[in-house]
Amino acid sequence: THVQSATTLERSPSPDPAAALFSDIGRHIVAIKNRPLPRIELEIIPSDKCIYIVGNASGLGEALIGSFADHDIQASHVPVSGLPDILNGSHNISNAAGLVILPDSHNGDDQPGDTTLKTAFQLARFFAPSLIRNAQTGFTLFATVTQLDGAFGFRDKALKNPVSGGLAGLAKTAAIEWDGVVCKALDLDPTWADVTEMAHKIVAEILDMQAHDSVEVGLDGENRYTLELTPVPYHKDAKVELALRPDDVVLVAGGARGVTAAAAFALAEHIPLSFVLLGRSPMPSPEPAWLDGIEKEPDIKKAILANEFNNNGASPKDIEMSYRRYMANREIAATLQKLVATGSKVLYETADIRDADTVTALLQDIRKSLFPIRDIVHGAGVIEDLLIQDKSLEQFNRVYETKVGGFRTLMGATSSDPLKYIVVFSSVAARFGNKGQVDYAMANEVLNKVSRREARQRKNCRVIAINWGPWDGGMVTPGLKREFQKSRIALIPMKAGAHCMLLEMSQTGTHPVEVVVGSSLTDQVITRTKKMDNQASDRQVQSPSMSLTFKREIDTTNHPILDAHILDGKPVVPFALITEWFGHGALHGNPGLVLHGIDDMRILKGIKLEQQKKLIRLFAGKADRKGSLFEVGVELRDGVLEGKDVIHSSAKAILTDKLPAAPIFESTRPESSNGYPRSMEEVYDKILFHGLALRGIREITDCSSWGISAKISSAPAPETWIKDPLRSNWLSDPLALDCAFQLATLWCYEETGSVSLPSYCRHYRQYCTTFPSDGVMAVLQVTDVKDHKMTGDFTLIDAESRVVAELKGYEAIMDASLYRAFKPHLVSGNKR
């Protein structure tokens, strides 16, 4: 569908007050530094552990085995032909102390390189559990090796295989996600021919304790390079001067919403152009009359319920999906109207940017009515945030192909066009890595390096890969925005960020291809560096000394509550009961203190009674004073596997001598409520798996995309659940906490169709020594949701609206397949 302006004028842009904010947005370039390190002390790897080396690289694998052997370290080289045995699980890697991924022998630029990256991701996912587990008792490493130019492309030489540059994104993300594992991205000079010397320097770099502060390191026969950000701010009087003329065609991939819409509008305000916008959403259609004049989200949702669903039969998820569809339609229509109002011509087309044939044919038709394409803005992208070990190859492919495959499509479809600009929207995730975004980091690193190749080949074209920090819009959801604010990461205002793009396009003379604009995530890098600095010293002590506080056999006879917590036919210890045990373990050696909270509580391995009994042991460390509070490390373990304790859960208990006063709860929930249509009988019979003793949700008062709230009961006396309880009174309230987690599962089910189980809680605080006997109100505000993870904050309040307890950063793993474990007797599957 073609939308065209009535007139096309050449004019000077009117001043935009918002653009003045651009001078406050940080801008950095990457500089290489020659940083030789003294070889002081090398890590020790036990003889029963092995370094796995994967890939073919002209004898480098065999040379590395010899170099590791010089340090009495066992290493095994797995050629590419042996990868199926690794990935299908037929090869035992439980003894892995390291994984080194070498470049393959392919020297091209495209699809074979993509295969290498996807294989590397699969290897990292497969090795992650072993490496993380083994890091608890000794040194473990993960390294990727490339041969770009010996400094990740920053020596401005021709790159041997730019696609392989994505391996650095894998290593940088693993460095953030894998506690205790030393991660390195190494880039070798491709002219370096001495593989023996090469191997010695790689091994020294990996093992040297003094080198663990830098993830990215370039090596050649004489030098060691690290990468540093150098601030090069925008000048406050910087002017936009573009080599574009009125009606020049600009191809914008990424649709007509969010960041790419802001970028297109910034260009259009500067000069009237002809825009071709490619997006996944359909061409906007007229809104129904019943939406006329309605602007606020609660009112729109009420109108949807009344007009689309006749006020019945709609779940919160159904209403939310319909709402998002109408809002996308409205935003695209508004973008097209704004662009036309500038005097520009606009063509919006629905297309999957990964489909090369469709995009090529589409542009061939467009050229019949418009001039050749002069400018490409590649802003298309999707995210599938999950940790490396939790992410599927299918999810990886969606993210990777949209970025990399999409760019390849655009380059192929415009190969004959006289391009003046290629603007690639990359991300700081590529520069630093980012938790949950290994695919996004790797894909954007590929774009960075491929953009370098394009810049060398196109002498009359300005090629820019902008590594954006997070924007105040686009893929940054309200939940993500709150997390960035907590981390003090500034967001890029939409108009100011778009103005920065124009300034980057205006650069002349010698200019960098890769720039970092916006937040550089330096706090995250500093945190990572401190963590790596501490890991070497931690390994000298092995782990903080912990002492056994209690042990006991658990079964359904002495813990009858487990009969009410059956998953897939097996009793499973509830997350809430583990919380109680952690509190007891921490107080055991600290009489006179009271439990105030628990931080960083993580389920590493659920406690499932495969046999009739299981012996569990609770360990606690010494109290570490933190101001007015005391922090005690705690771990729940059971048996021994391969000579090591099996740790089921770990956390830090927070103790104090006097609890602070309870704050008053102030809700941020929108005024409108959809209520909740199901009875509690239906909830427990059709959705939740909990038995009678854990059916503590009395009434659900609200359920919407914002979250869920309910009145819940307090736990009975401990002897009701446990025949020989550790204490006569609960430290917290395991029923109230478990019911809160049940609410999270219900919300996930209603909004996504998948049930969930708790996996992590970042921050728990309680403000009473005894929970109210008449129960509490639990309020869950959902802060973020992905395909397989929900994150949210709980507040438990009493009848006077005082906060009894808070849980911040609660995470639950979602998966439709869990429903079979919840309701194995419902053979028909997940019925709504």
Side-chain angles (χ1 to χ4, degrees):
T1 303
H2 195 206
V3 182
Q4 184 172 317
S5 64
T7 60
T8 301
L9 302 173
E10 184 171 4
R11 67 200 187 296
S12 299
S14 57
D16 182 358
L21 295 173
F22 77 87
S23 59
D24 297 327
I25 297 176
R27 178 180 186 266
H28 295 77
I29 63 172
V30 180
I32 58 174
K33 302 292 182 180
N34 197 333
R35 301 290 191 195
L37 279 176
R39 303 303 174 187
I40 297 176
E41 188 174 0
L42 300 185
E43 300 280 6
I44 297 173
I45 297 178
S47 59
D48 63 336
K49 294 296 185 290
C50 182
I51 306 293
Y52 288 88
I53 302 164
V54 180
N56 300 327
S58 303
L60 181 56
E62 290 75 12
L64 280 171
I65 291 177
S67 190
F68 278 120
D70 291 342
H71 299 283
D72 298 321
I73 296 172
Q74 179 188 173
S76 174
H77 181 217
V78 182
V80 172
S81 59
L83 290 182
D85 289 338
I86 292 282
L87 295 176
N88 67 20
S90 62
H91 197 105
N92 182 11
I93 60 163
S94 60
N95 66 337
L99 171 64
V100 179
I101 299 178
L102 302 179
D104 62 23
S105 56
H106 170 67
N107 294 327
D109 293 320
D110 299 326
Q111 285 84 349
D114 294 341
T115 302
T116 298
L117 295 190
K118 294 172 184 179
T119 300
F121 158 70
Q122 290 177 283
L123 283 166
R125 182 183 62 183
F126 184 71
F127 272 82
S130 295
L131 294 177
I132 295 170
R133 183 182 66 247
N134 290 337
Q136 295 173 5
T137 56
F139 175 76
T140 61
L141 65 94
F142 172 64
T144 62
V145 180
T146 53
Q147 292 178 306
L148 296 172
D149 68 349
F152 301 94
F154 289 97
R155 295 168 79 179
D156 292 324
K157 296 181 178 181
L159 303 186
K160 180 179 179 182
N161 180 8
V163 172
S164 69
L167 285 174
L170 172 58
K172 287 181 282 191
T173 300
I176 295 170
E177 293 186 10
W178 296 355
D179 283 344
V181 181
V182 171
C183 299
K184 307 288 287 189
L186 305 177
D187 187 45
L188 311 180
D189 188 328
T191 64
W192 194 5
D194 189 336
V195 293
T196 301
E197 181 188 25
M198 199 182 298
H200 285 322
K201 288 207 171 185
I202 289 174
V203 170
E205 180 67 36
I206 288 172
L207 297 180
D208 191 342
M209 293 180 185
Q210 302 300 312
H212 297 344
D213 60 335
S214 298
V215 175
E216 289 176 290
V217 175
L219 298 171
D220 61 21
E222 299 177 354
N223 302 296
R224 176 185 186 267
Y225 300 107
T226 60
L227 305 181
E228 297 181 7
L229 284 187
T230 300
V232 184
Y234 295 111
H235 193 278
K236 64 179 181 178
D237 298 323
K239 302 296 184 183
V240 174
E241 296 179 355
L242 303 181
L244 292 174
R245 298 180 58 81
D247 287 334
D248 275 354
V249 180
V250 179
L251 175 61
V252 180
R257 302 169 59 198
V259 171
T260 47
F265 187 64
L267 281 166
E269 282 193 309
H270 183 75
I271 187 170
L273 298 163
S274 296
F275 289 94
V276 178
L277 306 178
L278 302 181
R280 291 174 295 172
S281 301
M283 179 70 188
S285 57
E287 283 190 349
W290 49 263
L291 269 182
D292 285 349
I294 305 177
E295 298 294 335
K296 294 183 178 179
E297 179 179 343
D299 297 333
I300 294 172
K301 289 184 174 179
K302 282 182 181 178
I304 290 172
L305 180 63
N307 291 275
E308 283 201 355
F309 300 100
N310 297 318
N311 286 316
N312 60 46
S315 69
K317 179 185 176 184
D318 294 332
I319 296 173
E320 182 67 22
M321 289 179 63
S322 185
Y323 169 77
R324 291 179 181 177
R325 186 173 64 252
Y326 281 116
M327 291 306 95
N329 185 79
R330 182 176 286 185
E331 185 178 356
I332 293 171
T335 297
L336 300 184
Q337 290 173 4
K338 285 176 64 178
L339 289 173
V340 167
T342 67
S344 296
K345 300 173 184 177
V346 186
L347 179 66
Y348 181 85
E349 292 288 350
T350 302
D352 184 342
I353 194 175
R354 299 171 297 179
D355 187 341
D357 291 340
T358 298
V359 173
T360 299
L362 180 64
L363 294 185
Q364 287 174 346
D365 289 340
I366 289 171
R367 291 188 189 93
K368 296 175 182 177
S369 58
L370 296 176
F371 294 108
I373 295 165
R374 296 286 187 174
D375 181 11
I376 291 176
V377 178
H378 178 33
V382 296
I383 53 176
E384 298 263 7
D385 286 6
L386 281 172
L387 298 178
I388 291 170
Q389 58 263 44
D390 297 329
K391 193 183 294 281
S392 70
L393 181 59
E394 180 184 9
Q395 290 164 331
F396 181 97
N397 284 338
R398 275 198 297 271
V399 175
Y400 183 88
E401 291 299 335
T402 301
K403 277 288 181 185
V404 178
F407 184 66
R408 195 171 290 136
T409 293
L410 296 176
M411 292 297 96
T414 59
S415 59
S416 60
D417 289 283
L419 295 173
K420 297 179 180 178
Y421 296 97
I422 298 173
V423 183
V424 176
F425 281 20
S426 183
S427 168
V428 290
R431 177 87 315 271
F432 301 110
N434 199 23
K435 183 178 180 181
Q437 293 191 334
V438 64
D439 37 17
Y440 201 63
M442 293 175 72
N444 281 297
E445 267 289 61
V446 172
L447 292 188
N448 287 337
K449 306 316 173 191
V450 172
S451 294
R452 287 183 170 276
R453 177 195 62 187
E454 295 293 334
R456 289 183 64 86
Q457 294 176 349
R458 299 172 183 265
K459 301 302 182 183
N460 298 316
C461 180
R462 170 81 169 106
V463 183
I464 327 155
I466 307 176
N467 288 241
W468 294 110
W471 289 63
D472 191 2
M475 289 189 289
V476 176
T477 63
L480 273 176
K481 184 175 179 179
R482 283 189 292 272
E483 289 301 312
F484 284 130
Q485 289 171 341
K486 290 176 185 176
S487 302
R488 298 182 180 179
I489 295 174
L491 300 180
I492 302 172
M494 296 288 276
K495 286 188 176 181
H499 191 77
C500 290
M501 181 196 73
L502 299 186
L503 293 177
E504 293 299 333
M505 295 173 67
S506 301
Q507 298 287 330
T508 58
T510 302
H511 52 260
V513 175
E514 296 181 52
V515 293
V516 178
V517 178
S519 170
S520 62
L521 300 185
T522 49
D523 288 344
Q524 176 174 293
V525 175
I526 290 170
T527 300
R528 179 206 300 167
T529 300
K530 288 181 178 177
K531 181 175 74 174
M532 295 178 75
D533 286 343
N534 291 334
Q535 283 166 3
S537 58
D538 288 346
R539 282 190 292 275
Q540 307 309 307
V541 187
Q542 292 296 310
S543 63
S545 66
M546 288 192 171
S547 58
L548 180 68
T549 60
F550 74 84
K551 65 179 178 179
R552 59 175 47 202
E553 283 189 334
I554 57 171
D555 59 19
T556 55
T557 301
N558 55 42
H559 287 70
I561 189 61
L562 298 183
D563 275 329
H565 203 257
I566 306 292
L567 267 171
D568 202 18
K570 301 287 194 308
V572 178
V573 176
F575 195 51
L577 190 56
I578 295 175
T579 305
E580 185 74 17
W581 288 343
F582 277 160
H584 173 83
L587 290 171
H588 180 78
N590 297 284
L593 300 180
V594 294
L595 179 67
H596 182 34
I598 295 177
D599 286 350
D600 292 328
M601 182 170 170
R602 187 180 300 277
I603 294 293
L604 302 172
K605 186 178 187 294
I607 305 178
K608 182 185 292 187
L609 285 124
E610 301 284 358
Q611 290 80 35
Q612 291 194 342
K613 292 187 177 183
K614 183 180 284 284
L615 177 68
I616 59 146
R617 297 168 294 149
L618 196 289
F619 288 78
K622 294 181 179 180
D624 184 13
R625 186 165 196 127
K626 305 284 186 180
S628 62
L629 304 176
F630 297 86
E631 184 179 283
V632 180
V634 284
E635 288 182 355
L636 188 63
R637 311 174 187 174
D638 68 357
V640 175
L641 179 65
E642 298 174 358
K644 300 185 187 65
D645 282 353
V646 176
I647 302 174
H648 284 280
S649 185
S650 62
K652 292 177 288 191
I654 308 300
L655 310 180
T656 185
D657 54 2
K658 183 181 179 181
L659 290 173
I664 300 299
F665 176 63
E666 296 182 2
S667 175
T668 58
R669 178 182 292 276
E671 292 183 4
S672 111
S673 168
N674 294 325
Y676 189 70
R678 303 182 195 273
S679 67
M680 290 304 96
E681 182 180 12
E682 181 183 2
V683 163
Y684 282 110
D685 287 348
K686 299 294 179 61
I687 304 173
L688 300 177
F689 65 88
H690 303 76
L692 290 175
L694 287 174
R695 296 188 175 187
I697 302 176
R698 300 202 301 261
E699 178 189 356
I700 297 176
T701 57
D702 188 20
C703 182
S704 67
S705 60
W706 186 92
I708 188 170
S709 59
K711 298 175 182 177
I712 57 181
S713 301
S714 293
E719 59 264 23
T720 307
W721 284 19
I722 303 169
K723 281 197 173 180
D724 184 20
L726 296 167
R727 294 170 179 261
S728 58
N729 294 303
W730 297 115
L731 292 172
S732 56
D733 189 313
L735 180 59
L737 293 180
D738 194 81
C739 288
F741 305 153
Q742 293 175 34
L743 291 177
T745 289
L746 283 176
W747 185 91
C748 292
Y749 182 84
E750 300 293 3
E751 290 293 314
T752 73
S754 298
V755 290
S756 67
L757 288 174
S759 62
Y760 176 74
C761 181
R762 175 174 53 82
H763 178 88
Y764 169 70
R765 292 291 183 272
Q766 66 181 52
Y767 299 93
C768 59
T769 55
T770 305
F771 273 52
S773 60
D774 57 348
V776 294
M777 172 73 77
V779 180
L780 166 63
Q781 178 182 352
V782 175
T783 57
D784 197 17
V785 60
K786 306 298 181 191
D787 280 353
H788 293 280
K789 184 174 76 173
M790 182 276 287
T791 304
D793 298 333
F794 286 101
T795 307
L796 307 183
I797 56 177
D798 64 13
E800 308 299 325
S801 293
R802 289 175 301 215
V803 176
V804 174
E806 297 174 307
L807 295 93
K808 304 291 186 183
Y810 169 84
E811 296 180 5
I813 298 299
M814 300 187 301
D815 198 309
S817 65
L818 282 175
Y819 190 77
R820 293 186 177 274
F822 276 35
K823 300 292 182 183
H825 60 286
L826 297 180
V827 294
S828 57
N830 187 354
K831 291 186 176 181
R832 299 293 297 274

